Structures are given as structure tokens and as C-alpha cells.
Amino acid sequence: MTDDASKKLPSWIEEYHRDVLSFRYRVDKVLFRGQSDFQRIDIVETAGFGRMLFNDGVAMVSECDEFIYHEMISHVPLFVHGAVESVLVIGGGDGGTVREVLKHPGVRHCRLVEIDPLVVEGCRKHLPVTAAALDDPRAEVTIADGVEFVAGTEERYDLVIVDSTDPVGPAEPLFGPQFYNDVKRVLTTGGMVVSQAESCLVEFEAQQSLIRTLHSVFERVHVYNYTNITYPGGLWSFSLATDADRCPLRDFDESGVGRSGIAFRYYNPRIHRAAFALPTFQEQALAPHLTPIQRAEEA
Amino acid sequence: MTDDASKKLPSWIEEYHRDVLSFRYRVDKVLFRGQSDFQRIDIVETAGFGRMLFNDGVAMVSECDEFIYHEMISHVPLFVHGAVESVLVIGGGDGGTVREVLKHPGVRHCRLVEIDPLVVEGCRKHLPVTAAALDDPRAEVTIADGVEFVAGTEERYDLVIVDSTDPVGPAEPLFGPQFYNDVKRVLTTGGMVVSQAESCLVEFEAQQSLIRTLHSVFERVHVYNYTNITYPGGLWSFSLATDADRCPLRDFDESGVGRSGIAFRYYNPRIHRAAFALPTFQEQALAPHLTPIQRAEEA
């Protein structure tokens, strides 16, 4: 738990994926290195992708492409719901999701529940591009286990965002049915939950397991896709689940996107619709657990 | 130019991208290794992604995800044009694009012009999943420089597919205006050209340069996106250019997709439409050179 790791200057940082693939990034400077009760944290200045955060050697955030992930996990559900005032973010201690959520003036309170204080500490110091949002007066940071938090809280939220790492280590319970039953309990009427739903190309079993779990708990389950440079697998997904009768395309508040005045880098109404178009193999495999989408061209 | 490279068994094969990123794949077996007049060719059996082809150390094809690239470069223009009989593929000596093109029963002739015979030789031996299509009676393989071929041929094509590597080495002239003026000359009335158009995330300058070039030669230029695991950058693009008044969404023959009876793994009508939805940063940067799309919801 120290900042002086910059004395060591490895020239590359490497992420292994299942011992069959690795990504190596050339490192100009190690900014932060620490070991928490949960994981090892590295924040480095890379030569090609800006600053990057690694948890236990797995890339979490890079300055070059974090806008894609954070815009897609936030703006899609916010513009489907249309009237979100209170948001709970589980995980995501880097602050990027909170930053995008708070671009919506209607959001009055956004609570971030992060299990690992060292992630928040490191990002506040070295990833201001995402973590600066945590200083917003509407943001509240709670260091706690997200599973325990939703099991115990009396608060209610219009939108819950599960901004988790992969289903190994501290994030594993965030993929289970008990957690999602508790999430359901803390949602307001019409509330929604969006979750980091893994890759259909390299982690399809984990994705299918999550979607089955959501289908056992919620009336409607949808999946939408985005792309990431710094996650192995290229094509990644978010899930959107709710008990409300809201279709992410039929009920998409497109005019609200323009009215919001938000300057998006990745998101726009065409990307919103496109994200729900799934590759044939993914659509077929998930079909038993997904709610059909109503598209304009099919209406 | 030998098959006996399997005596050497490196445990990983590594692709460097601009000296800031590398992808390493664990190799179970080296199947083919050779040096042609143009490049080094490696075909390996990887532990996680099936067999892979590398040209000069850059991943070209992997069995795990080649269907995405090859379906998207082929079926999108074929279902926009609607009546393609003759196809010219420049590059793509692995045969994957020819395989998808020939799934359309209306295609009577598909000529592949590949500059490097060693690519075709290696793939015929070790990548039958793509190269077997080259034995189809409607396929004709010509070993020649694609630039010289289009400059000299008297043949005419309904669809030209530029299935090229990156704009370095042998593929560089395939990104220039002289080549595209010659492509225009060999197109039939209503003909189209589709090109591998690089990544908007890691090779955006090359993409913008290609789109400017196409805009200087053709009446209509469009860009559509797909995802790839084994190309660095996640989000990759194809360009579609034509002098015909055909909009890839307005004139998309959706009913033809079902009638074709083709078993797609990635492509479907929703993916077709979605692929033309560009991220905001890409849409804005390319806007001066792209033809506006007419979407159903805007019609």
C-alpha cells in the first residue's frame, strides 16, 4: 500500500487470460502499487493507452477507452427509464460510472458501494479522469461489501448498476441469485438493474449463467453489447433486468438524449438501438432467457 | 518455405502493435512456417483460439472468430446489392471471404487475386475451414498483384471485396486513389466495393485516410463496424463505396436474408442495421466524407 513503487520500472505489464492469451502494455511509469485485503492494485502510465488500473493483474480501466464502458453502462438504462433520481453503483470504485450517471441533471443521489478502499484511494490520486466525479455533492462513497449492503439497506433506488469485475475473487457473489433477489427488493417501482455481463466470445459460460440467474428473478431481461480495446474478447455485454413493462427500444426516450445536452463520445441514439442487436450465436444461445425486443421496424 | 518448422515449439506467439501493446497466444503446435517474397507466414495451433494464420507476425485469421470478419465483409454488401453474380476478392488468400460469398447461390463466379502464393499454399494445407472454399468450381484463384490486376483486367464485377492486410508492406497500394479509380473501372453498373477499413480505436488515421480516398472516387461512401477478438483494437470497420443510388439500410433486402437459407453465426438483419450505427467520435470525424444513411426509423 504505497506510492513509491515507481522506483521499480517494469517496461511491460501483462494480463493473462486463462493461460491461453495475454495482453502486454508498455509501461512508462508505475504510479501506484498496493495490496489490499482483497486484491493487488496497480495503476500505471502506459505508452499507448493512457493510465490504466489493474486489479490482480486484470485491466479494469484505461484512459483510452473507459468512456465506452462507462457511457454504455449508464446512459442506456437512464434513457430507457427516463426518470431516474436515485442510483446505486456496486463496485466501480474508479468513479467512471458515477461520472456518467451524474451527467443526468435529474439524478439527485448516486451511492457508490465499493468493497476495496484501496481502489478508491488509488484512483482518487492517479485516475482523476474517472475518480473526480466522486467529489460531486450528489455522490456518496460507501466502503462496504455490495452483497451485504443490498441485503441490509432500507434505501430504495430507481437504478442499480452492478459495475463488477469478473466472477472470481471478491466479485463472485455479485453473480448469484441471492444478490439479485436483494437488488430486486431495493428497486423502486419501475426500477432497473444493469450489470457487467462478461463477453460472449471469451466468457460465454459466465454470461449465460448470469442471464439465467436474472431470468429467474426478474420479469424482463435484455442484453446489449459494446466493444472494448483493453478487455480480451472484443465484444462485451451488459444485462438490463426489470419487473417493469419497459422495452429498451420501444420505451427508449430518444428525444431526451438530445435534450440532455450531454456531450457523448461513444453513445448516441443509433448506438443505443444497435447495441441490442446480438450476433446470431449469442441471440440463439440466450434466447430462452431473454425478453423479445420490440423494435421500431417491427412495431 | 517448409512444413518442418514443427520441430521448433515456441510456447507463445506474439503480435506487437506499434511497440505499445502485444497479444501473446499460447501455441500447442507450429503447423507451417515459411518466408515468401512478401512476408513471413506462420500457421499455428493455439491453445485457446484454434488455428491461427500470422503474416509477418500479425494475426490474420483465427478459427475462433474468423466467421465474424468473413460474414460481415461478404453478406452486408451482397444483401444491399441484391443481385450479385460476379465477385472479385483482392487479398484474402485464406479463402474465408470466398467461402461466404459462395453461400449465395446467385453468385456464378468469384475470382480471388492473392499476391502471395505461400498464403494460399499454407492455408490449403492447414486452414481448410476457410481454404476449402477455393476448391469450389465457381472459385478461381489468381496469383497476382491486386493493383496490377484491376489496372489491366477486361473483366467486370458486381462486387469487389478488398480483403487486405494493414496499409504497410504488400497491401499499402490497396489503400491509394489510383487503385480505387481502377476498381471503379471494373465495376458493373450498380457495382460496389467493400474494403477492410482498419480500426477507429487503434488505427483511426489509416481509416480516415481510406475514407477520404474513397470519397474522392465514389458517389457514396459508408462505414460499418464489427468486432474481433484477435485484432488489437476491438472495434473494426469495413467501408462500402459505390456510384449507385443504393443506401445500405433503405435498400437492404431483408427478406432475402431469410430466403437465402444461409446459416449465419454472426450476421442477421438486426446486426446488418446495427453495424452502420457508428460511435459518436467516429461518426463526427468521418462525417465530411460519409454519405448519410437512411434508416427505417428516420424514413
Side-chain angles (χ1 to χ4, degrees):
Chain A
M1 200 184 293
T2 164
D3 263 10
D4 69 1
S6 57
K7 279 180 278 184
K8 301 181 215 164
L9 287 177
S11 57
W12 296 82
I13 189 166
E14 181 155 18
E15 169 178 354
Y16 283 91
H17 178 77
R18 292 177 178 270
D19 197 33
V20 299
L21 170 68
S22 88
F23 282 19
R24 298 200 312 150
Y25 302 92
R26 193 150 67 79
V27 171
D28 283 342
K29 191 175 183 187
V30 175
L31 300 168
F32 186 88
R33 180 163 284 175
Q35 176 70 44
S36 72
D37 292 344
F38 305 98
Q39 55 206 344
R40 198 184 76 243
I41 311 289
D42 296 283
I43 302 176
V44 299
E45 182 81 47
T46 66
F49 300 91
R51 294 182 177 195
M52 292 183 68
L53 164 69
F54 291 81
N55 292 1
D56 275 344
V58 178
M60 293 288 123
V61 179
S62 71
E63 284 185 320
C64 74
D65 66 359
E66 57 83 16
F67 68 97
I68 301 175
Y69 177 99
H70 292 127
E71 289 188 13
M72 291 301 281
I73 201 174
S74 303
H75 300 305
V76 170
L78 279 154
F79 285 116
V80 171
H81 184 291
V84 171
E85 295 187 356
S86 56
V87 179
L88 173 64
V89 179
I90 308 281
D94 57 85
T97 298
V98 172
R99 180 192 66 200
E100 295 304 316
V101 163
L102 292 179
K103 288 181 178 173
H104 291 251
V107 173
R108 303 202 299 188
H109 179 235
C110 181
R111 183 184 296 284
L112 176 84
V113 176
E114 166 64 53
I115 199 169
D116 191 342
L118 195 61
V119 171
V120 177
E121 179 193 330
C123 293
R124 279 192 189 274
K125 285 185 186 166
H126 300 290
L127 269 180
V129 68
T130 54
L134 301 177
D135 295 328
D136 188 290
R138 294 175 293 158
E140 190 171 354
V141 178
T142 302
I143 301 299
D145 180 331
V147 170
E148 292 175 10
F149 182 85
V150 295
T153 185
E154 293 306 317
E155 295 183 344
R156 295 296 177 267
Y157 300 93
D158 302 319
L159 174 63
V160 173
I161 299 180
V162 186
D163 185 1
S164 77
T165 53
D166 299 326
V168 289
E172 193 177 355
L174 297 177
F175 287 76
Q178 184 55 53
F179 171 67
Y180 278 106
N181 274 298
D182 288 329
V183 166
K184 185 182 171 105
R185 192 186 63 82
V186 307
L187 287 177
T188 56
T189 304
M192 299 180 166
V193 55
V194 166
S195 309
Q196 189 283 103
E198 299 294 312
S199 164
C200 64
L201 288 169
V202 299
E203 293 292 349
F204 201 21
E205 283 179 32
Q207 175 168 114
Q208 291 179 74
S209 170
L210 174 65
I211 301 308
R212 277 194 302 271
T213 296
L214 289 168
H215 182 219
S216 73
V217 176
F218 292 96
E219 291 291 320
R220 295 184 73 103
V221 181
H222 300 286
V223 163
Y224 61 100
N225 288 339
Y226 69 101
T227 298
N228 200 295
I229 305 180
T230 51
Y231 294 171
L235 191 61
W236 285 72
S237 304
F238 295 117
S239 59
L240 190 161
T242 180
D243 283 342
D245 178 27
R246 290 195 80 79
C247 170
L249 296 199
R250 186 196 65 197
D251 299 310
F252 168 42
D253 178 21
E254 175 168 351
S255 64
V257 178
R259 277 201 314 277
S260 76
I262 300 171
F264 307 104
R265 293 172 66 193
Y266 184 86
Y267 181 82
N268 59 51
R270 296 161 298 286
I271 286 287
H272 180 112
R273 287 199 187 81
F276 290 89
L278 306 184
T280 303
F281 77 94
Q282 183 187 23
E283 188 176 67
Q284 289 176 347
L286 298 179
H289 307 292
L290 291 186
T291 312
I293 288 264
Q294 286 181 270
R295 287 184 172 75
E297 71 257 26
E298 294 159 2
Chain B
M1 202 186 292
T2 165
D3 262 12
D4 70 0
S6 58
K7 279 180 278 183
K8 302 181 217 162
L9 286 176
S11 57
W12 295 83
I13 189 165
E14 182 155 19
E15 170 178 351
Y16 283 91
H17 178 75
R18 291 178 178 272
D19 198 32
V20 298
L21 170 70
S22 88
F23 281 19
R24 298 201 313 151
Y25 301 92
R26 193 150 68 80
V27 171
D28 283 343
K29 191 175 183 189
V30 176
L31 300 168
F32 186 88
R33 180 164 285 175
Q35 176 70 45
S36 72
D37 292 342
F38 304 99
Q39 54 206 346
R40 197 183 77 243
I41 310 290
D42 296 283
I43 302 176
V44 300
E45 182 81 48
T46 66
F49 299 91
R51 294 183 177 192
M52 292 182 69
L53 164 68
F54 291 81
N55 292 1
D56 275 343
V58 176
M60 293 289 122
V61 178
S62 71
E63 283 185 320
C64 74
D65 65 0
E66 58 82 15
F67 68 97
I68 301 175
Y69 178 99
H70 292 128
E71 290 188 11
M72 291 301 281
I73 202 173
S74 303
H75 300 306
V76 170
L78 279 154
F79 285 116
V80 172
H81 185 289
V84 171
E85 296 188 356
S86 56
V87 179
L88 173 64
V89 178
I90 308 281
D94 57 84
T97 298
V98 171
R99 180 192 67 201
E100 295 304 316
V101 163
L102 292 178
K103 289 180 178 173
H104 292 251
V107 173
R108 303 202 298 188
H109 179 237
C110 180
R111 183 184 297 282
L112 176 84
V113 176
E114 166 64 52
I115 199 169
D116 191 342
L118 196 61
V119 171
V120 177
E121 179 192 332
C123 293
R124 280 191 189 274
K125 285 183 183 165
H126 300 290
L127 270 180
V129 68
T130 55
L134 301 177
D135 295 328
D136 188 290
R138 295 175 290 158
E140 190 171 354
V141 178
T142 302
I143 300 300
D145 179 329
V147 170
E148 291 175 11
F149 182 85
V150 295
T153 185
E154 293 304 316
E155 294 182 344
R156 295 295 178 267
Y157 301 93
D158 302 318
L159 174 62
V160 173
I161 300 180
V162 186
D163 185 359
S164 76
T165 54
D166 299 325
V168 289
E172 192 177 354
L174 297 177
F175 287 76
Q178 184 55 53
F179 171 68
Y180 279 105
N181 273 300
D182 288 329
V183 166
K184 185 181 170 107
R185 190 184 64 83
V186 306
L187 287 177
T188 56
T189 304
M192 297 179 168
V193 55
V194 166
S195 309
Q196 190 282 103
E198 298 294 312
S199 164
C200 64
L201 287 169
V202 299
E203 292 292 351
F204 201 21
E205 283 179 32
Q207 175 168 116
Q208 292 179 74
S209 170
L210 174 65
I211 301 307
R212 276 195 301 271
T213 297
L214 289 168
H215 182 221
S216 72
V217 176
F218 292 96
E219 292 290 320
R220 295 184 74 104
V221 181
H222 299 285
V223 163
Y224 61 100
N225 288 339
Y226 69 101
T227 298
N228 200 295
I229 305 181
T230 52
Y231 294 170
L235 191 62
W236 284 72
S237 304
F238 295 117
S239 61
L240 190 161
T242 180
D243 283 342
D245 178 27
R246 289 194 81 79
C247 169
L249 296 198
R250 186 195 66 197
D251 299 310
F252 167 43
D253 178 22
E254 175 168 354
S255 64
V257 178
R259 277 200 314 276
S260 75
I262 301 171
F264 306 104
R265 293 172 66 193
Y266 184 86
Y267 182 81
N268 59 53
R270 296 162 297 287
I271 285 286
H272 180 111
R273 286 198 189 81
F276 290 90
L278 307 184
T280 303
F281 77 94
Q282 184 187 22
E283 189 176 66
Q284 290 176 346
L286 297 178
H289 307 293
L290 291 185
T291 311
I293 289 264
Q294 286 181 270
R295 287 182 173 74
E297 72 258 24
E298 294 160 2

